[in-house]
Amino acid sequence: MSELLDLAGILVFALSGALMGVRKRLDVVGMAVLASMTALGGGIMRDLILNVPPAAFQSLGYVLVPIAATAIVFFWHPQVARIMPLLLVLDAAGLGLFCAVGTEKALLYDLSPLHAALLGVTTAVGGGVLRDMLAGEIPTLLYDRQLYAVPAMLGSAAMAALFELDLHGWPAVLAAAVLAFGLRILAMKYGWRAPLASGVKPSE
């Protein structure tokens, strides 16, 4: 079940990466690279920091799903772009799932709650940072429009707190993921964003 949820999150992130490739007028190879980095980059960074073999290289599905997402966007990108509101909801679900799972994995490797939460955020947003950098964009993490990193931080913190309370397994992961998902959805609905420095007006 957990692997199916992982693959669903990977699919959504990969679709967003491939769509970025279309917007940047990249060829199919460039689209596949952005799709793969968006979907797998955060998890790979987490596992390298934990000094364990990346999960992305231990399951064929983790490699095939970004390729499938690239093919879908390559042939049907106008249709995929039209369902972007739905994809944003699924993206929020992937964000919540990845921050919770990443934090739990770090805790199981005996990291402190603070370091585990930071690694959970890395799992959730690291792929998007790599995508933006490869595409020549300022990473959205650095100007957190409609709160993306903040929900991941709170979801990761909740996962670490539950773990410290001896609440492990999928119920804890689900609770932390739902918290991050809910905050992300509310941020999209109400336009919440992280505060700017005093006296600085937001750009439109």
Side-chain angles (χ1 to χ4, degrees):
M1 181 64 176
S2 62
E3 185 171 351
L4 287 176
L5 291 173
D6 265 357
L7 292 176
I10 286 169
L11 175 62
V12 175
F13 284 175
L15 288 171
S16 74
L19 281 172
M20 171 74 83
V22 173
R23 290 196 295 271
K24 290 291 182 177
R25 303 182 65 83
L26 302 183
D27 63 20
V28 67
V29 175
M31 291 172 59
V33 168
L34 288 188
S36 298
M37 286 297 98
T38 307
L40 305 176
I44 291 173
M45 287 169 24
R46 174 202 64 211
D47 292 341
L48 290 177
I49 292 171
L50 291 174
N51 198 29
V52 298
F57 300 125
Q58 299 184 60
S59 170
L60 190 59
Y62 283 69
V63 178
L64 294 179
V65 168
I67 293 174
T70 301
I72 291 169
V73 173
F74 183 83
F75 289 107
W76 298 292
H77 60 89
Q79 291 87 343
V80 175
R82 277 200 293 271
I83 62 170
M84 202 60 205
L86 172 60
L87 290 179
L88 286 173
V89 173
L90 296 176
D91 179 84
L95 178 81
L97 175 67
F98 280 20
C99 75
V101 169
T103 303
E104 183 187 45
K105 184 168 185 177
L107 289 165
L108 292 173
Y109 278 87
D110 295 325
L111 267 68
S112 71
L114 175 60
H115 292 105
L118 291 174
L119 209 48
V121 175
T122 299
T123 306
V125 306
V129 171
L130 292 174
R131 174 201 64 211
D132 293 341
M133 292 175 64
L134 288 171
E137 298 278 335
I138 298 174
T140 53
L141 179 66
L142 301 182
Y143 58 102
D144 200 7
R145 289 178 180 272
Q146 294 185 339
L147 296 190
Y148 198 80
V150 171
M153 292 175 188
L154 294 176
S156 295
M159 183 68 237
L162 291 170
F163 197 92
E164 286 297 293
L165 294 172
D166 207 29
L167 297 171
H168 305 167
W170 70 264
V173 170
L174 182 61
V178 167
L179 173 64
F181 170 76
L183 289 172
R184 172 63 179 150
I185 293 296
L186 290 172
M188 288 192 293
K189 181 176 181 179
Y190 295 109
W192 295 345
R193 59 174 62 182
L196 299 175
S198 177
V200 177
K201 295 182 179 180
S203 59
E204 296 299 330

